[in-house]
Amino acid sequence: MAVITRGFGGRRRDDTDLPPGQYRTDDFPVLSAGPTPRIGLDKWELAVVTETGERSTWSWAEFTALPADEPTVDIHCVTHWSKFGTRWRGVSVDTLLADVETAAEYVVAHSYGGYTTNIPLEDLLDGQAWVAYEFDGEPLVPVHGGPARLLIPHLYFWKSAKWLRALELRLDDEPGFWETAGYHNYGDPWREQRYRAD
Amino acid sequence: MARAAVPGRLTWQAATVAATRAETATARTLVLDVDGWTGHVPGQHVDVRLTAPDGYTAYRSYSISSAPGPDWLEVTVQAVTDGEVSPYLVDVAEPGDQLEIRGPLGGWFVRRPADPRPALLIGGGSGVAPLMSMVRAAMNPTRLLYSTRSPSDALFTSDLATARAAGDGLVAVTHVYTRVAPPGWPAPPRRLDADALSRVAWPRDADAVAFVCGPTGFVETVADLLVDIGHDPANIRTERFGPTGG
Ligand SMILES: Cc1cc2nc3c(=O)[nH]c(=O)nc-3n(C[C@H](O)[C@H](O)[C@H](O)COP(=O)(O)OP(=O)(O)OC[C@H]3O[C@@H](n4cnc5c(N)ncnc54)[C@H](O)[C@@H]3O)c2cc1C
């Protein structure tokens, strides 16, 4: 039943690693809802807050002294671009949660600037997610979420909150900014979960 | 940040190119007929899907540039050199051709026509497309600042002149030319700066909302300048098209 578009040839590539509906770009587009927050490293703080309100916090010096990983991953934006082999440096969420007591099943990521996004906790554990502060060997620039952003390569990239400020652990699921604006609650690129009804 | 509204139905729908209108040498507007289309909120976009005869598909997002209305909508596409989809839409598609769309999408970069707050719309290049929909539907005071390289790169030239001339005085349009200004233009070509912005921005106590759309570098610069001149970051909404190089 597909509608054929006369005269359209397309520029196909054999990219078996591309999720459905994605195209490959070598560029690094920027998408965000408002101005780019500029956060001084002297004021920067990352917090993990449990469902009982217990807070663990890291200053920039403390955070960047934590053991770091250097993941090379493919990333997929809901606006249909995918970027292969991106190189990051960051702290695994496993490391940040190592000493945290929690029964939570959900996390809300909070950003400087007010953005939020929700993720099941299990999607952040076991080496699947990082708080990244370098891209391609350089400090992460503000437009891409610097000083530090979440990096969850297996979900659409709006889940990888830029300008990360806190991870709030919760017993219940609380949809975030785009999730309440009609986007999918989970956002698996391989199942094309773009919008709420997908 | 404010919570935003939910988009409508999201199945792919067949759309027929009903007409095309050249905007510049490299951009054009496509009028799309869609059965059962129920309209949009200015600022929303559609995903466009093109399918080749062998089943290969490509998808891109395009803002709706027309005012809301049933049964048809318009998108305005700037051809990107070496692009996959935009050159097809600008140079190849013709009336009668079919493609598919999904939407309207996006609940954040939207201005409801009845929103009483004054709006400052700032567009760079093809980023003016969603702002044009806001201008066309405006029921409350609206200022548009449109930055292009030269007059021949400007989209919607006659529509903007008409909007400005409409007797109700709701819409004010200011052009900024960054490389080539029209003959007799009072200022030399230059990039948007704090000074130019301060002159069109609403006073601080006006509770104005700003919509900034264009290439990433443009949006970054303008949003930063707006914050610098005292605009509340919570009242600045941005949408970025295209590459960054960063
Ligand atoms: C929400 C949203 C709304 C949009 N609305 C519009 C609109 O109203 N009108 C419009 O013309 N475009 C709009 N775009 C951009 C559009 O979706 C495509 O990215 C654009 O048409 C290029 O697609 P392409 O297939 O021709 O190029 P591609 O094949 O995707 O890219 C070819 C090359 O061009 C570069 N490139 C990609 N996009 C741009 C760009 N915009 N400018 C310069 N270089 C680019 C790429 O990095 C690549 O190197 C919108 C994008 C978004 C996310």
Side-chain angles (χ1 to χ4, degrees):
Chain A
M1 282 238 313
V3 171
I4 303 298
T5 304
R6 181 206 61 85
F8 177 65
R11 190 181 49 202
R12 53 214 78 209
R13 298 203 219 184
D14 285 325
D15 270 338
T16 48
D17 295 343
L18 270 181
Q22 297 294 108
Y23 67 93
R24 181 183 181 143
T25 181
D26 299 320
D27 192 53
F28 195 165
V30 173
L31 291 141
S32 46
T36 297
R38 315 273 154 173
I39 306 116
L41 296 182
D42 50 331
K43 300 218 184 67
W44 185 90
E45 178 182 88
L46 178 66
V48 167
V49 186
T50 70
E51 69 275 19
T52 60
E54 264 178 74
R55 285 173 75 85
S56 321
T57 61
W58 292 267
S59 68
W60 183 254
E62 290 164 348
F63 171 68
T64 49
L66 293 171
D69 294 343
E70 297 197 345
T72 295
V73 296
D74 301 339
I75 57 179
H76 310 291
C77 178
V78 69
T79 64
H80 301 284
W81 57 265
S82 291
K83 187 170 172 62
F84 287 178
T86 58
R87 298 194 307 122
W88 305 81
R89 178 179 176 84
V91 177
S92 164
V93 176
D94 296 311
T95 304
L96 297 172
L97 295 188
D99 299 324
V100 174
E101 285 277 341
T102 182
E105 288 185 33
Y106 302 96
V107 175
V108 174
H110 293 264
S111 297
Y112 290 94
Y115 181 79
T116 57
T117 188
N118 55 315
I119 312 108
L121 177 58
E122 65 174 357
D123 282 87
L124 294 181
L125 299 178
D126 301 323
Q128 296 184 90
W130 296 268
V131 178
Y133 55 93
E134 282 181 22
F135 174 74
D136 230 358
E138 302 284 342
L140 186 59
V141 294
V143 283
H144 288 307
R149 75 178 298 160
L150 205 51
L151 174 64
I152 318 170
H154 70 284
L155 299 178
Y156 280 127
F157 218 43
W158 89 78
K159 295 285 183 180
S160 293
K162 295 177 184 176
W163 315 299
L164 188 68
R165 178 169 65 80
L167 295 173
E168 177 199 355
L169 298 163
R170 299 177 61 99
L171 299 173
D172 60 332
D173 193 16
E174 164 88 3
F177 177 75
W178 289 123
E179 294 81 7
T180 40
Y183 281 75
H184 197 274
N185 197 51
Y186 182 64
D188 181 346
W190 297 94
R191 287 187 279 164
E192 257 202 292
Q193 293 172 335
R194 298 175 194 278
Y195 308 112
R196 178 170 304 158
D198 287 341
Chain B
M1 281 189 200
R3 290 285 151 94
V6 177
R9 48 189 299 233
L10 290 171
T11 47
W12 289 103
Q13 288 174 275
T16 306
V17 178
T20 66
R21 261 193 333 261
E23 297 285 353
T24 67
T26 54
R28 78 172 169 179
T29 295
L30 303 175
V31 182
L32 301 177
D33 265 337
V34 186
D35 268 354
W37 179 256
T38 52
H40 70 288
V41 183
Q44 286 188 304
H45 66 274
V46 289
D47 280 356
V48 172
R49 175 162 79 181
L50 304 182
T51 303
D54 67 353
Y56 171 84
T57 56
Y59 313 66
R60 295 292 185 277
S61 301
Y62 292 97
S63 301
I64 303 172
S65 56
S66 49
D71 299 327
W72 62 278
L73 64 139
E74 294 176 6
V75 295
T76 304
V77 182
Q78 171 70 52
V80 167
T81 314
D82 297 333
E84 179 173 30
V85 169
S86 60
Y88 173 83
L89 295 174
V90 173
D91 300 326
V92 183
E94 53 185 60
D97 287 344
Q98 285 212 304
L99 42 81
E100 287 168 293
I101 65 160
R102 191 164 121 124
L105 300 167
W108 169 250
F109 193 83
V110 292
R111 184 186 189 210
R112 289 176 200 286
D115 184 339
R117 290 176 296 172
L120 174 60
L121 317 179
I122 307 177
S126 59
V128 74
L131 308 180
M132 192 67 217
S133 177
M134 298 182 192
V135 164
R136 289 184 160 127
M139 292 165 54
N140 284 299
T142 302
R143 295 177 182 171
L144 171 71
L145 184 58
Y146 182 21
S147 170
T148 54
R149 264 174 299 180
S150 71
S152 58
D153 290 308
L155 308 176
F156 309 122
T157 310
S158 64
D159 303 78
L160 284 174
T162 311
R164 177 167 36 188
D168 51 24
L170 281 179
V171 177
V173 180
T174 308
H175 286 272
V176 173
Y177 301 99
T178 58
R179 304 266 174 80
V180 182
W185 193 249
R190 59 169 178 172
R191 291 187 172 275
L192 253 184
D193 55 18
D195 184 51
L197 265 183
S198 314
R199 272 184 281 117
V200 294
W202 295 92
R204 273 197 214 191
D205 55 8
D207 188 30
V209 49
F211 293 88
V212 188
C213 186
T216 293
F218 175 84
V219 171
E220 277 302 300
T221 307
V222 171
D224 286 351
L225 287 172
L226 283 173
V227 174
D228 289 346
I229 66 171
H231 207 99
D232 180 356
N235 286 331
I236 302 173
R237 301 187 176 204
T238 61
E239 188 146 276
R240 298 152 211 256
F241 301 170
T244 59

